[in-house]
Amino acid sequence: MTQAKAGDKVQIHYTGTLQDGVTFDSSAGRDPLEFVIGSGQIIPGLDAAIPGMSVGEKKTVQIPCEEAYGAHNPEALQAVPRDNIPADIPLDPGTQLQMQTPQGQVVPVTVADVTETEVTLDANHPLAGKDLTFAVEVVAIKAA
C-alpha cells in the first residue's frame, strides 16, 4: 500500500479540537483538505504527522502550540485611540477586523479590550498559544 511521503499531494479529512474538546475546524461536509507534504501549506505539526500514512488510515495527533500557530505574542497587542476608529465599526471584544499596515498589507486583528479612550487590537492568530488535537484520515495520495 502506498504511504504518503514528502512532496506527495495528499487529501485529508480532519477535525481540529482544543484541549477542552471544542471543535475549532473540520472538513466534515466539505471537500477534503489538499496540500503537498512538506510545502509549508499547513501547520508544521500536522504536516509532520502525515508521512507514512496510507489511504484510509486514520489517526489522532496532539500538536503543541509551537508546532501550530505559535505562542501568544504580547507584542502583537496594540492600543489604538478610540477616536481613530470609525464610529460604525463594531468594537465588541472578540470581533474580528482587518487593519492595513503603512505598507498596504492587510492584517486580521481581534478586538481584545475596549475602554472609553482606547481599543486594544490583537494581531495574534486566534489559535496562537493553544495546543491542538487533530483527528485525520488520508483519503487520497498522489505521488510526487
Side-chain angles (χ1 to χ4, degrees):
M1 199 176 263
T2 303
Q3 291 187 330
K5 63 187 180 317
D8 288 351
K9 183 181 283 188
V10 296
Q11 292 181 348
I12 64 169
H13 274 300
Y14 67 92
T15 298
T17 55
L18 302 174
Q19 296 304 294
D20 60 6
V22 172
T23 298
F24 64 84
D25 194 14
S26 176
S27 64
R30 303 188 314 218
D31 289 337
L33 175 65
E34 182 176 273
F35 63 96
V36 175
I37 297 173
S39 67
Q41 294 173 299
I42 64 170
I43 60 173
L46 185 55
D47 201 16
I50 304 303
M53 291 183 71
S54 302
V55 172
E57 187 175 346
K58 298 178 182 183
K59 76 164 129 176
T60 300
V61 292
Q62 307 289 324
I63 301 175
C65 70
E66 297 80 16
E67 295 175 27
Y69 294 97
H72 189 270
N73 179 0
E75 293 179 17
L77 294 171
Q78 180 178 358
V80 177
R82 193 170 180 145
D83 296 347
N84 288 5
I85 300 175
D88 63 330
I89 302 289
L91 295 177
D92 300 315
T95 300
Q96 296 196 344
L97 305 172
Q98 291 185 341
M99 290 182 62
Q100 194 165 358
T101 67
Q103 298 77 27
Q105 181 181 4
V106 175
V107 178
V109 295
T110 303
V111 176
D113 190 38
V114 180
T115 68
E116 298 221 359
T117 58
E118 287 185 332
V119 177
T120 302
L121 300 174
D122 186 351
N124 282 289
H125 188 282
L127 295 173
K130 298 185 187 308
D131 296 333
L132 308 177
T133 301
F134 283 89
V136 297
E137 176 184 6
V138 175
V139 294
I141 301 171
K142 185 184 239 181

